[in-house]
């Protein structure tokens, strides 16, 4: 069990391996997530469970490969960009800040996210992520008409929780990507 804003998350860097599909969530999936978060906020739920994230340790780049849950996790990165949660978006080390979400063989996606975080132009456009960011902004304005954006943001940052499961090292990418 990992608390989204807790100190546990601060030690993790995640990677989307090459065998995973690209980010594909559209308006409907983001709307459902935001509506669920809004309902949990209004009901003052003590915790909001995002669900499970399955990982396997990647010793080559000192991270955890996202095997399952990368769509939800990427959506949370987009929310982090919207709310400017730099403590979540970056893993701080002694010498550097490293983007918490990395992409194997998709350097342009990493550059796109970093440009969005910094508010600068990027020569590469990830259309799905761009649409996701725009939808988050538009839909949050709609659903937070009478509520404080800061209270909702604080609720998400403090109450969002997901289960982090780590698979044993013996699994290979081919086994992980095979239906049984």
């Amino acid at each position: 069990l990992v608390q989204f804003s807790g100190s546990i998350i601060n030690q993790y860097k995640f990677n989307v391996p090459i065998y995973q599909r690209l980010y594909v969530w559209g308006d409907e999936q983001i709307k459902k997530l935001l509506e669920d978060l809004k309902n949990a906020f209004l009901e003052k739920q003590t915790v909001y469970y995002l669900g499970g994230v399955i990982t396997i340790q990647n010793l080559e780049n000192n991270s955890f490969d996202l095997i399952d849950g990368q769509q939800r996790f990427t959506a949370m990165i987009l929310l982090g960009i919207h709310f400017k949660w730099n403590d979540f978006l970056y893993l701080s080390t002694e010498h550097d800040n490293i983007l918490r979400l990395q992409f194997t063989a998709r350097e342009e996606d990493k550059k796109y996210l970093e440009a969005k975080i910094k508010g600068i132009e990027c020569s590469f456009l990830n259309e799905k992520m761009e649409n996701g960011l725009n939808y988050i902004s538009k839909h949050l304005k709609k659903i937070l008409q009478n509520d404080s954006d800061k209270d909702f943001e604080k609720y998400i940052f403090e109450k969002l929780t997901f289960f982090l499961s780590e698979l044993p090292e013996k699994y290979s990418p081919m086994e992980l990507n095979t239906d049984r």
Side-chain angles (χ1 to χ4, degrees):
L1 181 67
V2 175
Q3 187 77 28
F4 180 71
S5 65
S7 60
I8 295 173
I9 192 71
N10 291 332
Q11 63 188 341
Y12 291 97
K13 179 174 75 171
F14 297 95
N15 180 58
V16 177
I18 190 65
Y19 54 83
Q20 285 289 3
R21 66 184 174 160
L22 299 171
Y23 179 72
V24 296
W25 268 23
D27 293 354
E28 285 305 309
Q29 291 90 353
I30 294 171
K31 178 181 179 181
K32 180 169 178 16
L33 175 64
L34 293 175
E35 296 288 337
D36 285 351
L37 286 166
K38 174 67 175 184
N39 289 336
F41 169 70
L42 292 175
E43 294 168 7
K44 297 180 179 12
Q45 293 179 11
T46 57
V47 68
Y48 177 84
Y49 291 104
L50 184 61
V53 176
I54 299 174
T55 66
I56 190 165
Q57 193 166 16
N58 183 328
L59 298 174
E60 286 181 34
N61 65 9
N62 195 29
S63 68
F64 291 88
D65 284 351
L66 290 168
I67 306 306
D68 185 46
Q70 73 105 347
Q71 299 293 315
R72 284 172 281 140
F73 194 83
T74 304
M76 294 318 304
I77 292 290
L78 297 178
L79 260 177
I81 292 170
H82 173 81
F83 286 124
K84 300 179 180 8
W85 290 334
N86 285 345
D87 288 346
F88 174 69
L89 297 169
Y90 289 104
L91 173 66
S92 295
T93 67
E94 188 176 317
H95 304 290
D96 206 0
N97 284 330
I98 301 165
L99 191 63
R100 187 170 305 280
L101 183 61
Q102 303 287 315
F103 299 87
T104 300
R106 295 186 189 139
E107 189 65 26
E108 63 276 354
D109 286 337
K110 178 183 171 190
K111 288 179 183 175
Y112 170 82
L113 286 178
E114 287 186 304
K116 286 297 176 180
I117 292 167
K118 294 175 181 172
I120 60 175
E121 290 294 318
C122 182
S123 60
F124 175 76
L125 173 68
N126 182 310
E127 207 170 305
K128 283 289 190 177
M129 289 184 194
E130 184 76 15
N131 290 343
L133 278 167
N134 290 334
Y135 188 81
I136 286 169
S137 179
K138 180 178 86 176
H139 197 68
L140 284 178
K141 283 180 187 170
K142 179 181 169 186
I143 67 174
L144 296 176
Q145 292 175 2
N146 300 319
D147 295 304
S148 167
D149 191 39
K150 287 293 177 199
D151 290 342
F152 182 66
E153 174 188 353
K154 182 179 180 203
Y155 174 83
I156 296 170
F157 195 79
E158 291 178 354
K159 305 298 183 183
L160 186 69
T161 302
F162 55 89
F163 294 96
L164 182 62
S165 299
E166 185 180 350
L167 296 175
E169 289 178 29
K170 67 180 181 179
Y171 286 91
S172 73
M174 291 305 289
E175 290 172 322
L176 294 171
N177 207 27
T178 304
D179 290 333
R180 296 195 188 265

